[in-house]
Amino acid sequence: MATASVAFKSREDHRKQMELEEARKAGLAPAEVDEDGKEINPHIPQYMSSAPWYLNAERPSLKHQRKWKLEPNFTKSWYDRGAKIFHADKYRPGACENCGAMSHNAKSCTERPRKMGVKWTNKSIAPDEKVHVIERYEARDEARKKYLKEQQLKKLEEKNSNQNGEDGVGDDEDNEDDLKVDEAKVDESKQMDFAKVEKRVRTTGGGIFHGSACWNLRIREDTAKYLLNLDVNSAHYDLKTRSMREDPLPDMDPNEKFYTGDNDNRVSGQALEFKQLNIHAWEAFEKGHDVHMQAAPSQAELLYTNYKINKEKLKSQTKDTIMEKYGSAATEEALPKELLLGQSEREVEYDRAGRIVKGQETSLPRSKYEEDVYTNNHTSVWGSCWKDHQWGYKCCKQTIRNSYCTGSAGIEAAEAAADLMKANIARKEATEDMSSPTEEKKLATWGTDVPNDLVLDQRKLAEALKKEDERRREERDERKRKYNVKYNDEVTPEEMEAYRMKKMHHDDPIKDLLH
């Protein structure tokens, strides 16, 4: 647990320190001992065990957390609450008109308001209460007021006497001295009215102030920030935090606006400096420096101040070194007035996105790829020629990417090759036309589609159908099958047609109804 006064540690020392703290929390290493020899609980946070940097503590301790101020000698006695002093028999002038006690008036009376007070009925008079008045403090304040007044008047009288003794003192100086005496009296009255609550009207802050505390409230005559722009797409107003970060009137003249949004305050003034201070403290802590913005803010601010001073010194030193080596053109030769005081009456109009609307020629958008770059001896870029549905180079008519340019000779060679190919194709077609076509003999195979020129005998077809039915019945019933079976390999067209007609088609939806 390092303190603020210890020198900054390296990254390796910081890592070892963190490992030691983890071991102490796990009970593997003995606890750290303070200046008095007492063990420090390892689970106590670092910002509690580390003493502030201005105490110059050499090691962690909890002594700075203890009460080090001397206790004042408070009295043990307590006042008599509700004690009665005197009980009168009749109403006394100056007493409470409600209950008749002398210790308070009718406005501060705590009893129930009576229909007719004691002042008129003279009955049920309440006794006087014992009031503990801080007379000693009031006497001290009165003595202080009197002493301060005497000292101020005495100084003014001495000054006036010294000025009267000199020559050339006129009536104007006497009048000024009288005014100074009156001002001293006025200042004294202002000092005693520090607890008075006054109302501030027609001011920037608005509201009221008590002493030096002021509420940041607007006055009723000022327009609320959420009423400056009633457009639903304008700056968002947060009802919970009463904040409007963006500018409600971005198109309005800045000289006529009195409110530009809360973000304007975030990036200006002390808010920006505080933000940079926090960022510097975080970066220093990540690099191994023992600095914490919340635990030791004074140390962090001092470190940031030294950092800025060293940075400016290094910057100026680098600048001087460069100027000594290369010189400074700004100091040797003065720029012409045309460049220093160059002005133009040309008006340029922009839109909200920053694009030029009027006043300047619109520049053509450039491609993200390299333009006008010629490779492999080409004089044109790829894609400058379109031939036979292919991109190519215009200089050599080649359609192969990254090929070497052959120029006009390559074009002539390509045309000659194309002509030769066309001639070969024409010669081949001519030889094919001259050859006699050979007639193909198509052998009829059973089971294929019926030829168009096939003629069937209806009588033979009927006999073939009957034979096919008998054959199918024999297949279903083997008892009707004959023992001596004669096979004939010759199949007539009528028999093949009968077989095809009686054949069962599995894709037929009514195949079950046919048999």
Side-chain angles (χ1 to χ4, degrees), residues 44-278:
I44 294 178
Q46 181 182 1
Y47 70 90
M48 293 179 62
S49 62
S50 300
W53 62 276
Y54 50 81
L55 294 181
N56 297 325
E58 297 180 356
R59 55 188 307 175
S61 174
L62 298 178
K63 187 180 294 184
H64 60 280
Q65 297 287 352
R66 300 186 181 93
K67 192 174 182 180
W68 56 274
K69 292 185 178 179
L70 298 177
E71 296 183 358
N73 188 14
F74 294 112
T75 177
K76 301 292 184 179
S77 61
W78 188 250
Y79 62 90
D80 299 331
R81 176 178 292 180
K84 310 300 180 184
I85 300 176
F86 177 72
H87 196 171
D89 297 334
K90 61 180 181 179
Y91 178 77
R92 294 161 293 177
C96 178
E97 297 178 358
N98 185 40
C99 64
M102 290 292 293
S103 56
H104 58 272
N105 53 14
K107 187 176 182 180
S108 59
C109 183
T110 59
E111 289 192 6
R112 179 180 60 84
R114 304 181 184 182
K115 186 176 182 181
M116 295 185 67
V118 176
K119 183 178 181 180
W120 294 276
T121 60
N122 208 11
K123 295 178 181 180
S124 300
I125 300 175
D128 298 341
E129 299 175 352
K130 185 177 181 180
V131 181
H132 302 271
V133 184
I134 50 174
E135 298 176 353
R136 180 162 59 93
Y137 298 100
E138 291 180 353
R140 185 185 64 180
D141 293 340
E142 291 292 337
R144 180 181 295 175
K145 287 166 52 179
K146 186 176 180 180
Y147 175 75
L148 292 175
K149 184 176 180 180
E150 290 178 356
Q151 290 294 330
Q152 290 178 355
L153 294 175
K154 186 176 179 180
K155 290 181 180 179
L156 291 174
E157 288 177 358
E158 291 178 356
K159 189 175 181 180
N160 293 337
S161 61
N162 294 334
Q163 290 180 356
N164 291 332
E166 297 177 358
D167 297 335
V169 178
D171 296 336
D172 295 339
E173 295 180 356
D174 297 338
N175 296 333
E176 291 179 0
D177 295 338
D178 296 338
L179 292 174
K180 290 179 180 179
V181 174
D182 296 336
E183 289 176 358
K185 296 180 180 179
V186 173
D187 294 339
E188 178 186 354
S189 62
K190 286 184 178 180
Q191 291 177 1
M192 300 309 297
D193 293 338
F194 66 93
K196 184 178 179 181
V197 178
E198 298 180 359
K199 188 174 182 181
R200 299 172 63 180
V201 184
R202 302 297 298 175
T203 57
T204 305
I208 60 175
F209 72 94
H210 185 278
S212 60
C214 177
W215 297 350
N216 188 12
L217 301 176
R218 65 177 181 86
I219 60 178
R220 295 179 180 272
E221 289 78 3
D222 291 340
T223 305
K225 63 178 74 172
Y226 55 84
L227 296 178
L228 294 175
N229 191 352
L230 300 180
D231 187 5
V232 294
N233 297 325
S234 62
H236 174 68
Y237 176 73
D238 190 2
L239 298 176
K240 187 175 181 180
T241 58
R242 297 182 181 179
S243 62
M244 182 180 288
R245 297 186 178 181
E246 299 180 1
D247 189 1
L249 300 172
D251 299 333
M252 189 177 178
D253 187 6
N255 299 326
E256 298 178 0
K257 289 192 294 186
F258 66 93
Y259 179 75
T260 58
D262 297 339
N263 284 339
D264 193 13
N265 299 330
R266 297 173 182 265
V267 296
S268 61
Q270 296 182 352
L272 184 59
E273 297 179 359
F274 184 73
K275 180 180 179 181
Q276 295 176 353
L277 177 60
N278 278 327

